[in-house]
Amino acid sequence: MSERNEAGAGRPVLLRGGTVLPMEGARTVLEDTDVLVTGDRIAEVGPGLRAPDDALVIDATGGIVMPGMIDTHRHMWQTALRGYGADWTLTQYFVWFYLEHGKLFRPQDVHAGNVLAAIEALDAGVTTVVDWSHGLRTVEHADAAVDALRSVPGRYVLAYGNIQQPPAEWTAAPEFRDFVRRRITGDDLLGFQLAFDVLGDPAFPERAAFEVARELGVAVTTHAGVWGATSDEGIRLMHEHGFMTPETIYVHAASLSADSYHRIAATGGSVSVSTESEQSAGQGYPPTWALRAHGIPVSLSMDTSVWWSGDLFSAMRATLGADRSREHLEAHANGDTVTHAGLRADQVVEWATRGGARALGRDDLGVVAAGRKADLVLIKNDRSPVSFPVLNPFGHVAFQAQRGDVHTVLVNGRVVKHEHELVGVDLAAARRQVEDTVAYLRAEMGEEAWRQGMNPDIPETKILDNPYTYTDYRSDATHRL
Ligand SMILES: [Zn+2]
């Protein structure tokens, strides 16, 4: 289909007749509206737009047009081990990656994970991903990470990290500085942050790394409020030394005190919430209910595909569920009833789009409006019984839609998915690379360690004593169990 092949070549694109969620203004929905894209920008949004002669016209009727979703925290290198840690807690994660096997990853393994994660993101309508890349134990690994991101036509922020060395050390290395000079060139499609955690040592050894970030003029992203790993102490140290800034992204922030939340709110930072991760791994209760109460901006993230797929539909759904669960639970503990839910569907859609853009300081993303960057998603699936009726578009996105419903995706004006098929992406090559990485890791670890790693011991479950006698009313017999 020549139409598809030409779609990336600067050709205008008209999304015709969709239900548009502009994410400007509360709960605004524009029905039967066109979106015209020229170059890398949205040129016009409105009804009945005239298509330029050479435009690719995409029928968006019955579908929802929204900004590309933004994931503010994903360890893309780990996607090579998709699903391996489904039954892990943070304990198994830390032992496996930080202490034992993370060191096995070669540059080509980081490359393999990143490529697959990047493709997966585009497929799911996630147009910007912060690659929280803490497996960069050499600069060769970092070059491989960037090469991978460059090879897949999405928008990325490389958050450079290295769990095998203290941040003060790797940020001071001349080869790290050289990497930044060589590879971080101010390209709009590749941003840069530093990624490290503040462990609470009163001597604040992370200071030097914060100073490097300040000197480079880049943001820091940090796992904060992770039960058993980072705590209020880290927040206090950052605050007292003047390193809590509006561009700082606090990941999880799930087990912090009100005092820490006040410090985050007062310094203008935002929190990246990975609800599915917090629910399974144990960082703390997914904190949106507390963040809302403290007026702290939120973005969403998937964390790692070692457990979950890189899909913000599931993030929105899980976040609504966790927030509402908590609200009901707190009310019931006081003998009260929640009659009106505090968190609404449009809010989680906002967090998945504009919230991420704000966290990254990108006012030109996360909004469908003239002049903004053309990172767009069309959700439409004519073969799906779940695609209609679309009565409440925000609710539809948050609770009904899923990655298979992503019909078309544009990044920077370029069509990267069309009619449910990725454009200009070599999935077979990505598969071969990941298969090589898996075979290598499995051989290095040995079969027993590989299997044990995937199957942590199951704690004994004690069935509680039951004061009632089992009764089967269908017969005369009664049995005591
Ligand atoms: Zn993380």
Side-chain angles (χ1 to χ4, degrees):
M1 306 243 306
S2 63
E3 214 181 45
R4 284 187 193 177
N5 295 336
E6 291 163 23
R11 190 177 166 193
V13 178
L14 185 76
L15 295 158
R16 174 77 82 196
T19 296
V20 176
L21 306 183
M23 306 317 296
E24 269 192 327
R27 307 167 73 92
T28 304
V29 175
L30 307 173
E31 285 179 357
D32 194 10
T33 295
D34 302 343
V35 178
L36 175 64
V37 172
T38 59
D40 61 355
R41 302 270 170 180
I42 297 167
E44 228 179 322
V45 179
L49 300 182
R50 199 189 68 79
D53 291 341
D54 57 341
L56 169 68
V57 179
I58 296 170
D59 177 11
T61 54
I64 296 170
V65 178
M66 61 183 274
M69 288 171 270
I70 297 175
D71 183 322
T72 51
H73 153 243
R74 189 180 302 186
H75 308 294
M76 294 172 78
W77 61 296
Q78 297 176 348
T79 301
L81 282 178
R82 179 190 301 293
Y84 180 89
D87 293 321
W88 284 0
T89 63
L90 271 185
T91 300
Q92 283 87 38
Y93 175 80
F94 285 142
V95 169
W96 204 101
F97 275 103
Y98 285 55
L99 299 180
E100 291 183 345
H101 308 304
K103 291 189 265 290
L104 293 174
F105 277 69
R106 304 160 299 176
Q108 63 259 48
D109 304 316
V110 170
H111 189 278
N114 269 27
V115 166
L116 184 58
I119 294 173
E120 176 184 5
L122 290 185
D123 185 59
V126 179
T127 51
T128 299
V129 185
V130 175
D131 179 17
W132 221 103
S133 194
H134 56 355
L136 306 181
R137 61 191 175 83
T138 72
V139 162
E140 288 70 43
H141 289 74
D143 276 313
V146 171
D147 290 343
L149 299 179
R150 287 293 196 192
S151 72
V152 181
R155 198 182 292 282
Y156 311 99
V157 174
L158 178 71
Y160 194 118
N162 175 4
I163 48 178
Q164 303 301 341
Q165 245 189 336
E169 282 177 28
W170 60 259
T171 54
E175 59 269 26
F176 165 74
R177 294 305 189 99
D178 179 58
F179 168 85
V180 175
R181 261 190 305 274
R182 283 188 295 110
R183 303 305 300 267
I184 307 303
T185 54
D187 184 321
D188 185 46
L189 291 171
L190 183 68
F192 190 62
Q193 297 180 341
L194 297 192
F196 58 86
D197 299 341
V198 181
L199 301 180
D201 177 344
F204 194 44
E206 296 86 3
R207 167 196 279 281
F210 279 106
E211 282 168 352
V212 170
R214 184 166 285 172
E215 184 200 325
L216 293 172
V218 299
V220 170
T221 174
T222 188
H223 292 114
V226 173
W227 182 261
T230 57
S231 67
D232 290 321
E233 271 311 288
I235 296 291
R236 191 183 60 75
L237 286 164
M238 285 176 70
H239 194 223
E240 288 176 358
H241 290 88
F243 292 112
M244 290 179 76
T245 59
E247 66 272 13
T248 307
I249 297 180
Y250 306 86
V251 175
H252 302 305
S255 49
L256 294 175
S257 66
D259 179 70
S260 286
Y261 288 135
H262 288 315
R263 292 179 198 250
I264 293 172
T267 50
S270 65
V271 170
S272 175
V273 177
S274 311
T275 301
E276 284 186 291
S277 180
E278 289 129 25
Q279 288 177 318
S280 271
Q283 294 91 340
Y285 197 89
T288 53
W289 64 287
L291 301 173
R292 292 194 291 115
H294 288 88
I296 296 172
V298 174
S299 63
L300 300 184
S301 58
M302 287 311 304
D303 199 349
T304 168
S305 292
V306 168
W307 281 264
W308 314 277
S309 78
D311 163 2
L312 289 190
F313 294 106
S314 61
M316 288 186 272
R317 196 174 298 188
T319 301
L320 267 179
D323 194 293
R324 290 175 176 179
S325 289
R326 185 70 187 226
E327 197 173 24
H328 289 298
L329 193 68
E330 299 277 327
H332 297 177
N334 293 324
D336 293 336
T337 300
V338 176
T339 57
H340 294 71
L343 183 63
R344 301 302 171 101
D346 69 297
Q347 181 65 72
V348 294
V349 178
E350 206 256 6
W351 287 342
T353 53
R354 201 171 184 190
R358 283 207 188 98
L360 297 175
R362 293 291 305 250
D363 291 342
D364 56 346
L365 302 177
V367 173
V368 183
R372 308 300 177 106
K373 285 280 185 178
D375 290 11
L376 296 166
V377 174
L378 168 61
I379 295 167
K380 168 174 165 143
N381 186 352
D382 292 337
R383 286 171 299 196
S384 166
V386 185
S387 68
F388 62 89
V390 179
L391 305 178
N392 173 344
F394 291 108
H396 201 94
V397 170
F399 273 144
Q400 305 290 329
Q402 43 114 339
R403 67 160 60 233
D405 301 326
V406 174
H407 176 286
T408 293
V409 181
L410 281 82
V411 179
N412 217 34
R414 173 176 173 180
V415 176
V416 297
K417 187 178 184 185
H418 187 212
E419 292 174 0
H420 302 280
E421 288 194 32
L422 291 161
V423 179
V425 162
D426 191 346
L427 193 59
R431 179 194 293 264
R432 281 193 299 277
Q433 265 200 64
V434 164
E435 283 171 355
D436 285 350
T437 286
V438 168
Y440 157 78
L441 290 173
R442 198 166 175 162
E444 285 291 306
M445 288 172 62
E447 206 50 35
E448 200 189 333
W450 173 267
R451 260 202 299 273
Q452 273 181 3
M454 201 174 344
N455 297 290
D457 294 341
I458 303 173
E460 201 184 328
T461 305
K462 191 175 180 310
I463 305 291
L464 300 174
D465 290 336
N466 186 340
Y468 298 103
T469 301
Y470 179 74
T471 307
D472 184 347
Y473 292 104
R474 291 169 303 179
S475 72
D476 296 336
T478 56
H479 312 271
R480 175 174 285 277
L481 280 177

